[in-house]
Structures are given as structure tokens and as C-alpha cells.
Amino acid sequence: MGTLGGAGLAAAAGRARTVGMEGDRLASQARSSGLPAGGATGESPGVDAPLLGGSGSSALLQAQVLDLDEDEDDLEVFSKDASLMDMNSFSPMMPTSPLSMINQVKFEDEPDLKDLFITVDEPESHVTTIETFITYRIITKTSRGEFDSSEFEVRRRYQDFLWLKGKLEEAHPTLIIPPLPEKFIVKGMVERFNDDFIETRRKALQKFLNRIADHPTLTFNEDFKVFLTAQAWELSSHKKQGPGLLSRMGQTVRAVALSMRGVKSRPEEFMEMNNFIEIFSQKINLIDKISQRIYKEEREYSDEMREYGPIHLLWSASEEDLADTLKGVASCIDKCCKATEKRMSGLSEALLPVVHEYVLYSEMLMGVMKRRDQIQAELDSKVEALMYKKADADLCLATWESFLASQTDLHMEETSEDKPEAH
């Protein structure tokens, strides 16, 4: 188990077909300074890690599509050949995907062929006397031999996705499971079961499943297969096969006890890793809050400005001498409203979801580190218990040997007393 890759504080960006002249200029500067083209990691920035520095950064960001679905390999936090970046620096050479926060294990010997395709669509509302919820249709197409058919169609609700995420974390405690959208969104953003909310969640759930499908380890998880193929009653029956309530309570109590006990000697690499994640989480949460506040203020500004245009038009009708001027002001206000709407659209589509996804990944990373500490605490506890048992065994053995020695001496004394004295 290695360390956690530290790059990943910049906004996420996917592949771009051309880097442009700015990228060539920065690359030539890097070569002239004796650095590899890809920075400290030795990887070429190319289209996988676009350069975000220099005067052409805004043009590059516009030319590149922010997409977190492509080329996501292994999400294991314990990988090889990794190092933490300087936590106090923001390098323009950083990769810009949330998955660049961690090291990705690439299986070069395996062909890059996708054999599992998942689509989430057709949200459907269900109203009962107890609750109201949404189910989504999940269509799975595959060519894998372990599946009984090549195509499956099931319906799942959000609680089923939570169950799958929990089972993946239980089966793979040291892997970073892709994050799910929150059950409750930020108050005031959109209403629950609003069409926009449902569509946003549908996209996020599809992204969640496809990330698992593209993961070299999680994709072969048995619970994931059941989730994709089992009908509702079969899935319900499968859920009941897990540990009972008392067993789960025992596991929870043991985990709490281990967390309270803490880790006696955490390795230095994990100390650095944990410190980096905490600092990163604080910073990205702050950025997320600031971004949300900027968006809210922009929305309020746009709503107010939208009222001024009609007011100036009405005013121009009663002021003949100022009519042209007032109409011109109204036209300028209308253009400002359109520009503001365009800027807000860019924020809501390209910035806010990406930054918030970093927040979700930082929470997942902290969860992984917490589970790692629990595993180490459990190991330390067992090693300590084994040492106590060994000490008790050694004490028993020493006592037994002492007893045998005393019995031997006593026997020898009795034997010597029974012998007749020689004359």
C-alpha cells in the first residue's frame, strides 16, 4: 500500500482535441527549464491534464469540455509510486480531474474494451400512504459471460443506490467508491421532485453506475451484478441475506470502540496523506460555499435588473425628449440580462457541479482514511491481545518448568534419604 496522489485542487477538465499555441509555449518553456513536459509527475499534459496557467488559460478552459465520465481507471487509495504534492501550492501544471487526487492503477496488459453499458432513464413518481419517491429505469447491456443475458431492465429507487454504495464500501474498504448525489439538496436551490432536480439526479445516478462499471475491481462485485439484474422482489430478498440487526449493531459498536481508541502508531505516509486530505477538504468546501454564494448573488442581481428594462420603456413613453435615451438604456439593460444569464448558465453547468463533486470526493477520501485507521486499530488490538496471550503462555510455561524442577529436586532428596548409609 502506497501513498495518495496529491494533485487535484484545480477544477476538473476532460479531454480536449487541441491544446493550442498556449500549451505549446508552456511546454517549450518547461523543456527549456529542464523539466518534463508533464511537470513533476513526468506525464505529458496533453489532453489528459490541460495546462491552466498563463494568459491563455481562459481560452484553454473554453476549448476543453468538463467531463468526469471519461478514462476513469482505478480508484484505489493505496497504490504504488505515489507522492503528496505541496499542500500550500497551487501549481498551474496540476491535472484537473477529481480522480487526479488519487493514483490510478492502469492495467496495460488488458485491452481497453468496454463490455458493460448502463443507462438510467424514465424517472417515475410513486405515491403511497407512507411516502413519495422516484424510481428510475436502468438498462444494462453487456457481453460478459457471467451474466445470464445480454440485456437487463430493472427499476431502482434512491435507497437502492445507497444500499449498493454501502455494500461496495463494506466489500472494498480501501477503495474510493464513486460518490452519490446527496439525498437532500441545498435548501432554496430547487424543489424536491422538481423536473430539474429529477433530471440532475438521474444524470448523477447514471454517472455513479458507469464509474463503477468502468472500475477494474468494483465492476466485478457480486452485489453490483445483483443490483443491475435482479427484479425488485429478488433485490429485496438479497438484501435480507446480509447480517442481522444485532450483528450490524455489534459491528458498529466495535467500529466506534476502535475509533475511540485510535491508532497508536500511524505510518508517516498516512499521516501526511490524512493531513493533506483535511486541508484539501477545508479549502474545497470553502470554494464550494463561495461559488454557491456568487451564483445566488448573480441570480438576485439578474432578477432585479430584469425589472428595470420594462420600467425604462414605460418611462420613455411619458418623456418625449428622453425617449430615445431611455429606450437605449432599456436595450442595454436587456443585453446585460442576457449576458448575466449566459454567465450564470456557465456557472451552473461547468463550475458548480464540478466543484461540488470535489467536495463529495474529499468526503469519500476522508471515509477511506477513517476505515483504514479502523483496520489498523483492529490489527493493533489483535497484535496486542496476541502479545498478552504469548506472555501468559510464557508465564505458564515458566511456572510449569519451575514446578517440574522443584518436583525433580524433591524426588532426588527423597531418593537420597532412602539410600542406606555406606560404611
Side-chain angles (χ1 to χ4, degrees), residues 261-272:
R261 177 179 178 176
V263 180
K264 291 184 176 180
S265 58
R266 181 186 294 162
E268 182 66 25
E269 56 184 352
F270 292 112
M271 289 288 293
E272 295 177 359

Side-chain angles (χ1 to χ4, degrees), residues 60-104:
L60 285 174
L61 285 175
Q62 295 176 0
Q64 300 178 57
V65 181
L66 293 173
D67 185 5
L68 302 180
D69 285 334
E70 299 179 0
D71 296 339
E72 293 169 353
D73 298 323
D74 194 284
L75 302 184
E76 188 170 4
V77 71
F78 307 131
S79 55
K80 299 178 181 179
D81 300 328
S83 61
L84 287 170
M85 55 160 287
D86 183 3
M87 292 179 287
N88 298 321
S89 65
F90 291 85
S91 171
M93 304 293 286
M94 290 179 186
T96 55
S97 167
L99 297 184
S100 62
M101 294 159 51
I102 56 178
N103 291 308
Q104 302 179 12

Side-chain angles (χ1 to χ4, degrees), residues 326-351:
L326 293 174
K327 289 180 180 178
V329 173
S331 177
C332 290
I333 292 175
D334 183 63
K335 292 179 181 178
C336 289
C337 287
K338 292 180 180 178
T340 303
E341 287 290 337
K342 184 177 180 180
R343 183 170 64 253
M344 291 174 57
S345 177
L347 286 174
S348 62
E349 294 177 5
L351 177 64

Side-chain angles (χ1 to χ4, degrees), residues 291-299 344 347-348 352:
S291 301
Q292 296 287 350
R293 187 175 64 187
I294 290 174
Y295 181 82
K296 181 181 178 181
E297 293 177 355
E298 286 279 343
R299 171 62 65 187
M344 291 174 57
L347 286 174
S348 62
L352 296 183

Side-chain angles (χ1 to χ4, degrees), residues 154-402:
V154 296
R155 296 199 72 86
R156 297 286 183 259
R157 57 182 297 185
Y158 183 78
Q159 289 183 358
D160 298 327
F161 286 86
L162 284 177
W163 170 83
L164 174 61
K165 178 173 173 288
K167 297 299 288 185
L168 292 176
E169 290 177 347
E170 179 182 331
H172 309 281
T174 60
L175 292 183
I176 299 178
I177 311 301
L180 269 174
E182 295 95 335
K183 186 173 184 178
F184 300 106
I185 57 175
V186 180
K187 184 178 180 181
M189 293 295 292
V190 291
E191 298 178 1
R192 192 182 181 199
F193 302 140
N194 176 285
D195 291 341
D196 293 336
F197 167 75
I198 293 175
E199 177 61 17
T200 300
R201 171 166 285 185
R202 182 199 66 79
K203 292 179 179 178
L205 294 177
Q206 178 168 309
K207 182 181 292 186
F208 170 74
L209 293 180
N210 278 286
R211 283 174 169 170
I212 296 175
D214 293 338
H215 195 286
T217 301
L218 300 179
T219 186
F220 297 107
N221 181 273
E222 185 63 25
D223 292 307
F224 180 51
K225 177 185 174 183
V226 171
F227 178 88
L228 296 177
T229 60
Q231 295 303 315
W233 65 271
E234 294 176 317
L235 181 62
S236 178
S237 176
H238 182 76
K239 290 180 180 179
K240 295 177 181 179
Q241 295 177 3
L245 177 61
L246 294 178
S247 177
R248 292 197 301 270
M249 290 179 61
Q251 293 175 359
T252 303
V253 171
R254 186 166 60 253
V256 172
L258 291 174
S259 63
M260 292 292 292
R261 177 179 178 176
V263 180
K264 291 184 176 180
S265 58
R266 181 186 294 162
E268 182 66 25
E269 56 184 352
F270 292 112
M271 289 288 293
E272 295 177 359
M273 196 183 303
N274 196 68
N275 293 336
F276 170 79
I277 294 173
E278 289 181 356
I279 294 175
F280 175 83
S281 180
Q282 294 174 2
K283 291 182 178 180
I284 200 63
N285 273 279
L286 180 60
I287 293 174
D288 184 52
K289 292 179 180 178
I290 293 174
S291 301
Q292 296 287 350
R293 187 175 64 187
I294 290 174
Y295 181 82
K296 181 181 178 181
E297 293 177 355
E298 286 279 343
R299 171 62 65 187
E300 294 173 351
Y301 169 71
S302 177
D303 293 340
E304 291 181 2
M305 190 166 51
R306 196 177 291 109
E307 298 177 358
Y308 291 141
I311 291 175
H312 282 78
L313 287 177
L314 291 174
W315 189 4
S316 66
S318 59
E319 297 285 348
E320 295 183 359
D321 296 339
L322 300 176
D324 293 339
T325 302
L326 293 174
K327 289 180 180 178
V329 173
S331 177
C332 290
I333 292 175
D334 183 63
K335 292 179 181 178
C336 289
C337 287
K338 292 180 180 178
T340 303
E341 287 290 337
K342 184 177 180 180
R343 183 170 64 253
M344 291 174 57
S345 177
L347 286 174
S348 62
E349 294 177 5
L351 177 64
L352 296 183
V354 173
V355 172
H356 194 65
E357 194 162 53
Y358 273 98
V359 174
L360 297 179
Y361 265 107
S362 68
E363 293 174 355
M364 294 300 300
L365 282 167
M366 294 178 72
V368 169
M369 295 302 300
K370 184 177 180 180
R371 291 194 294 271
R372 195 218 72 85
D373 286 347
Q374 290 177 354
I375 293 173
Q376 182 178 346
E378 186 175 359
L379 175 62
D380 293 342
S381 176
K382 291 181 177 180
V383 170
E384 184 177 351
L386 183 62
M387 291 177 61
Y388 281 133
K389 289 183 179 180
K390 186 176 183 300
D392 291 342
D394 292 342
L395 180 61
C396 291
L397 181 60
T399 303
W400 176 249
E401 291 177 348
S402 176

